Amino acid sequence: MSLFIALPQKPTRNWTWATPLLLLLIIGLHALQWWLGAAVQRQWQLQWGMLSGHLQTLQDWQQALQGGRLLRLYTATFLHINWSHVLGNLVFLLIFGPAAERVLGSLRFLLLFLVAGAVSNLATVAAYPGDAHYVIGASGAISAVMGAYISLLPRAQLGIFLPLGFFVQVIKVPAIALVSLWFAMQVIFVVVGALNGSVTWIGHIVGFVFGVLFAMASRRAITKALRKQQGY
């Protein structure tokens, strides 16, 4: 068994707040649901999750997105099934979020997370137009963070924990290699997704691609901000 972690990049004094805010918000919301009980948690999922199914026509889509239901594309990002679902997502956010936020800036990073969550949820709903499912979770938004990370920091490295008997060795591996492997797995899982319909693999792919494009579109603004910080 091996785990990978983020290795520190060059020291920076940029203070980031969006990643901790998102972590606290997601954990806090799920803790509140857990404390209120399963009935309330189910009610929140039904009220604020994004419902797929019965969306074969343009009129179906118009009706689904009217009356405030469009807001569910965003709120669904912050809801999770259980603690395993929460922790699985937040591990990836902790690994890729801080570095991506330092480059993008906190406001732009937060915008990426929110918009990518909505886009990936919409893509998941569109992928299952005839099946009724409630789409919830931050995995699409976090996939976008991974895409932005790789686009902005292509030479970054991650550390892999390799247990060797009583010792643990940390090996540096290019982040792009691990993320490429992760992305290939998502593509494969889309093909065999029927075996595990509870995971929105297509949302992961769309979120990742959105993150790459968002980072590419943000490079000029990032460069301008860095020059301003350095007095150019």
Side-chain angles (χ1 to χ4, degrees), residues 144-216:
V145 172
M146 295 172 65
Y149 176 98
I150 289 301
S151 180
L152 296 170
L153 301 166
R155 297 182 181 179
Q157 293 184 321
L158 295 173
I160 296 183
F161 280 121
L162 290 179
L164 300 174
F166 294 102
F167 303 96
V168 176
Q169 180 71 37
V170 178
I171 300 178
K172 295 181 180 180
V173 178
I176 193 169
L178 293 175
V179 174
S180 296
L181 177 61
W182 171 88
F183 185 80
M185 292 175 62
Q186 309 310 301
V187 175
I188 293 172
F189 290 148
V190 165
V191 178
V192 297
L195 298 178
N196 189 355
S198 63
V199 180
T200 58
W201 308 114
I202 190 67
H204 296 176
I205 294 174
V206 171
F208 182 86
V209 173
F210 182 88
V212 171
L213 296 176
F214 184 93
M216 293 174 63

Side-chain angles (χ1 to χ4, degrees), residues 22-30 78 80 86 90 93 113 138:
L22 291 170
L23 288 168
L24 289 174
L25 183 58
I26 291 172
I27 293 174
L29 280 174
H30 192 74
F78 296 93
H80 292 79
V86 173
L90 296 192
L93 182 58
F113 190 92

Side-chain angles (χ1 to χ4, degrees), residues 6 23 29 49 59 62 83 108 119 131 136 164 170 173 193 197 226:
L23 288 168
L29 280 174
Q59 184 178 3
Q62 290 175 341
W83 281 112
R108 194 175 290 110
V119 170
D131 300 323
I136 60 175
L164 300 174
V170 178
V173 178
L226 289 175

Side-chain angles (χ1 to χ4, degrees), residues 2 26 33 36 47 73 88 90 96-97 111-112 121 128 134 143 178 186 192 204 206-207 212 218 222 227 229:
S2 63
I26 291 172
Q33 293 178 69
L36 293 175
Q47 185 174 357
L73 290 173
L90 296 192
F96 297 100
L111 178 65
L112 166 66
N121 287 337
Y128 302 98
Y134 272 94
S143 297
L178 293 175
Q186 309 310 301
V192 297
H204 296 176
V206 171
V212 171
S218 301
I222 293 170
R227 287 177 176 174
Q229 289 178 4

Side-chain angles (χ1 to χ4, degrees), residues 41-60:
Q41 182 177 3
R42 181 59 177 168
Q43 181 183 355
W44 283 23
Q45 292 172 358
L46 295 175
Q47 185 174 357
W48 299 109
M50 190 61 195
L51 177 65
S52 67
H54 310 295
L55 298 172
Q56 279 85 5
T57 68
L58 179 60
Q59 184 178 3
D60 292 338

